[in-house]
């Protein structure tokens, strides 16, 4: 099969090539994002491989179909950027990588909590300039503090285990409480406000759905324990950034650590260091000493990239052999599986 890989970074190429060595597909690595202007690059390909910020709407899918593409292989879990109706109409199969490493995201979440709390990002810069003062670097012990986890699925449950290891009191909020976590001492709160009001650190690990869009709005900020740290490594639009900025200015939110941002599609994964960032909301975030931003890198470990490449190549090979990928994204008319939830994800 000829696979045209869009939005290729060096790391994508390295991991996919290693995995494809035994499979022997004809891979072509393309730097541009897939969109209406670039879709023609895939003429003659059997499959395209795309990531979170590629545009796979109806016009792109029609162009891909005209060029002979029969499979859209997402190298991520979310498929919100794919018009599944159009793909079904054009007879193009869609597949994804449903899970690659909850540990990668949970460990990065802990890294953000520790960095923000102990001001490692600030002390690193100070020490480089020969400033060894401690003023402004005061943190708190995580031990015995209350951490609230919103969403205890694959990532949230790993995170809960890590935080229990620190000796934290762990609260959780999830429409489907996890009995095994409860047995380990995690306390489930039926109301989000209860968790927000009691937690010294709040971490969001739920998917982006219509229900969770701007879940952290002005009301939620007001319900938060004054001075709490808010950590977000799920999907940007769960937070209303403007409401959180107001909370930071008021001191209601004691610190913000994010790996995702609601308008990240215009920023993340690119080197914009020679450009003016036009997003004033994002630029405002960067001015706070108590805000830490990483650019959607929580998933970015050797193990996760290995698993992404392994599953992607397995999907393509199964499609070639059996006519169906291992992890299909069901067409909208088909009944959705539990893991086929229409969410945005890393
Ligand atoms: P999952 O599907 O295993 O777990 C999600 C959990 O959230 C489920 O237990 C679900 O019941 C719960 N949930 C749904 N609606 C909720 C609500 N309104 N309030 C509270 N909980 C709710 O998903 P997984 O694998 O744990 O991933 C979670 C999220 O992490 C993804 O949806 C994605 O947005 C994000 N992610 C971020 C990455 C990154 O690199 N920053 C990488 C991978 C995922």
């Amino acid at each position: 099969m000829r696979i045209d890989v869009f939005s290729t970074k060096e790391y994508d190429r390295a991991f996919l090539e290693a995995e494809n060595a035994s499979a022997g597909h004809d891979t072509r690595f393309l730097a541009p994002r897939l969109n209406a202007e670039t879709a023609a690059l895939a003429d003659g390909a059997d499959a395209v491989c795309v990531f979170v910020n590629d545009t796979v709407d109806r016009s792109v899918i029609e162009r891909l179909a005209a060029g002979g593409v029969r499979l859209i292989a997402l190298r991520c879990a979310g498929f919100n950027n794919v018009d599944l109706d159009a793909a079904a109409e054009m007879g193009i199969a869609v597949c994804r990588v449903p899970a690659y490493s909850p540990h990668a995201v949970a460990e990065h979440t802990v890294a953000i909590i520790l960095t923000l709390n102990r001001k490692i990002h600030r002390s690193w810069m100070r020490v480089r300039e020969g400033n060894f003062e401690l003023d402004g670097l005061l943190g708190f012990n995580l031990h015995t503090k209350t951490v609230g986890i919103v969403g205890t699925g694959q990532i949230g449950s790993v995170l809960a285990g890590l935080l229990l290891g620190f000796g934290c009191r762990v609260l959780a909020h999830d429409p489907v409480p996890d009995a095994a976590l409860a047995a380990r001492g995690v306390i489930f709160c039926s109301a989000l406000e209860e968790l927000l009001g009691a937690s010294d650190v709040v971490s969001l690990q739920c998917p982006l759905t219509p229900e969770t869009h701007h879940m952290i709005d002005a009301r939620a900020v007001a319900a938060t324990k004054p001075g709490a740290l808010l950590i977000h490594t799920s999907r940007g639009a769960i937070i209303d950034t403007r409401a959180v900025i107001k909370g930071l200015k008021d001191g209601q939110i004691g610190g913000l650590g994010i790996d995702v941002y609601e308008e990240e599609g215009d920023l993340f994964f690119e080197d914009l260091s020679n450009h003016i960032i036009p997003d004033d909301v994002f630029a405002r975030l960067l001015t706070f000493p108590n805000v830490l931003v990483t650019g959607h890198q929580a998933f970015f470990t050797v193990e996760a990239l290995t698993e992404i490449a392994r599953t992607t190549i397995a999907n393509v090979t199964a499609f070639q052999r059996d006519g169906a990928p291992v992890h299909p994204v069901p067409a909208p008319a088909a009944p959705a599986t539990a893991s086929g939830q229409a969410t945005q994800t890393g």
Side-chain angles (χ1 to χ4, degrees), residues 37-113:
E37 284 75 51
T38 61
L41 293 172
D43 281 358
D46 301 294
V48 291
C49 178
V50 299
F51 197 47
V52 291
N53 289 326
D54 288 300
T55 303
V56 201
D57 59 15
R58 178 171 288 276
S59 66
V60 169
I61 290 172
E62 285 174 351
R63 186 66 192 80
L64 292 175
V69 170
R70 293 175 290 128
L71 176 68
I72 296 167
L74 290 146
R75 56 181 188 278
C76 54
F79 45 85
N80 54 283
N81 51 340
V82 180
D83 185 330
L84 296 173
D85 288 310
E89 282 170 39
M90 299 286 144
I92 297 183
V94 182
C95 61
R96 66 185 185 125
V97 183
Y100 31 92
S101 178
H103 293 274
V105 182
E107 290 176 18
H108 188 79
T109 304
V110 172
I112 290 181
I113 294 171

Side-chain angles (χ1 to χ4, degrees), residues 9 11 33 51-53 75-78 80 100 104-105 108-109 112 155 208 232-237 257-270 282 292-301 304-305 308 344-346:
K9 301 289 183 189
Y11 47 84
R33 284 187 188 177
F51 197 47
V52 291
N53 289 326
R75 56 181 188 278
C76 54
N80 54 283
Y100 31 92
V105 182
H108 188 79
T109 304
I112 290 181
I155 296 168
L208 176 62
H232 186 26
T233 58
S234 287
R235 192 66 185 190
I258 55 174
D259 185 53
V260 288
Y261 169 62
E262 52 186 324
E263 303 297 337
E264 71 178 52
D266 296 332
L267 301 169
F268 288 4
F269 306 124
E270 305 300 332
F282 187 77
L292 176 68
V293 182
T294 54
H296 208 137
Q297 73 174 83
F299 75 100
F300 198 57
T301 65
L305 291 191
I308 287 170
Q344 296 189 330
T345 186

Side-chain angles (χ1 to χ4, degrees), residues 33-192:
R33 284 187 188 177
L34 177 61
N35 56 38
E37 284 75 51
T38 61
L41 293 172
D43 281 358
D46 301 294
V48 291
C49 178
V50 299
F51 197 47
V52 291
N53 289 326
D54 288 300
T55 303
V56 201
D57 59 15
R58 178 171 288 276
S59 66
V60 169
I61 290 172
E62 285 174 351
R63 186 66 192 80
L64 292 175
V69 170
R70 293 175 290 128
L71 176 68
I72 296 167
L74 290 146
R75 56 181 188 278
C76 54
F79 45 85
N80 54 283
N81 51 340
V82 180
D83 185 330
L84 296 173
D85 288 310
E89 282 170 39
M90 299 286 144
I92 297 183
V94 182
C95 61
R96 66 185 185 125
V97 183
Y100 31 92
S101 178
H103 293 274
V105 182
E107 290 176 18
H108 188 79
T109 304
V110 172
I112 290 181
I113 294 171
L114 291 173
T115 304
L116 189 63
N117 170 29
R118 304 303 294 269
K119 283 95 174 164
I120 305 296
H121 54 309
R122 301 188 67 202
S123 64
W124 181 80
M125 289 203 291
R126 280 191 195 184
V127 167
R128 279 166 60 91
E129 293 187 353
N131 176 357
F132 304 101
E133 269 194 356
L134 297 182
D135 285 345
L137 301 183
L138 192 62
F140 56 81
N141 288 6
L142 270 183
H143 183 247
T144 72
K145 292 297 179 302
T146 300
V147 182
I149 301 176
V150 182
T152 50
Q154 298 183 84
I155 296 168
S157 56
V158 172
L159 180 63
L162 297 176
L163 292 167
L164 288 170
F166 276 92
C168 296
R169 175 174 174 255
V170 179
L171 305 183
H173 172 70
D174 194 304
V176 189
D178 183 327
L181 280 183
R184 292 170 65 192
V186 173
I187 302 160
F188 278 86
C189 308
S190 50
L192 175 65

